[in-house]
Amino acid sequence: MNTLLKIALFFCLVFNFSCSTDNESNTENIQPKNYKYLALGDSYTIGQSVCESCRFPIQLQDSISKHINTIDTFQTTIVAQTGWTTNNLKTAITNQNLTNNYDLVTLLIGVNNQYQNTPFTVYEQEFPELVTIAIQKAKGKKENVIVVSIPDYAYTPFGGGNTTISTQIDTYNTFAENYCIQNNITFVEITDITRMGLAQANLVASDALHPSTIAYTKFVERILPKAKIKLGL
């Protein structure tokens, strides 16, 4: 083997070894991410009358999981219960002593204030308080928070097309949306989806009141793009 060939072979071996070492080092340096999501709300968040994997926070989790690395994890915490008002949710958050390191927080609350005929002034006071709490839980970053509009149960067999319900729900949603706009917080409108409930029976769960799995899938289609941006995906 002549001298030039030996030198060329030497440099090839060194180069290949260096590349191999760098690749192994890069692989070792990749740290898995643990995304944490907190869903705050009431029956619409806990998914009354649908399966556990059918409720919108879990459907959102499943959708987001398709966009993260295989070594990453996505953890969902749900603080919600059927019948909860804004006050009930505030109390529950306090009692659970949640951490302040969530990468994403959704808030959907208010229908039970309306249903229980709670004075609207209570919502005007407590909704902003809950948004502030949501921001605290989202690492203190309002850009990590998504507020979801209140569904309209007037468009269900239970609601029977009661226009008074719709008018009151509009009042709640208008206040929430305006507050979010004024404070640069993401607001996702899903109420119009639920207002197809009487025309499209498959959007209503078997209890004739709450959204169905299909309706929640439509919610997620609107929430997902916003959530991906917030998670940097």
Side-chain angles (χ1 to χ4, degrees), residues 44 48-50 152-161 197-198 201 203-212:
Y44 295 132
Q48 182 68 35
S49 298
V50 299
D152 187 354
Y153 67 93
Y155 289 81
T156 65
F158 178 89
L198 288 176
L203 294 177
V204 182
S206 58
D207 64 0
L209 172 60
H210 290 91
S212 67

Side-chain angles (χ1 to χ4, degrees), residues 21-34:
T21 303
D22 288 342
N23 287 337
E24 291 175 3
S25 176
N26 288 338
T27 301
E28 291 174 357
N29 288 335
I30 295 176
Q31 297 297 320
K33 295 180 181 179
N34 177 27

Side-chain angles (χ1 to χ4, degrees), residues 165-220:
I165 294 172
S166 295
T167 299
Q168 293 175 350
I169 293 295
D170 280 343
T171 300
Y172 279 80
N173 280 331
T174 297
F175 176 82
E177 182 174 16
N178 287 340
Y179 181 85
C180 289
I181 291 172
Q182 292 166 9
N183 292 277
N184 198 27
I185 295 163
T186 300
F187 183 87
V188 175
E189 166 66 44
I190 55 82
T191 309
D192 61 314
I193 295 171
T194 62
R195 284 179 171 164
M196 296 185 288
L198 288 176
Q200 300 180 33
N202 64 350
L203 294 177
V204 182
S206 58
D207 64 0
L209 172 60
H210 290 91
S212 67
T213 301
I214 294 173
Y216 285 132
T217 299
K218 292 181 179 294
F219 290 10
V220 171

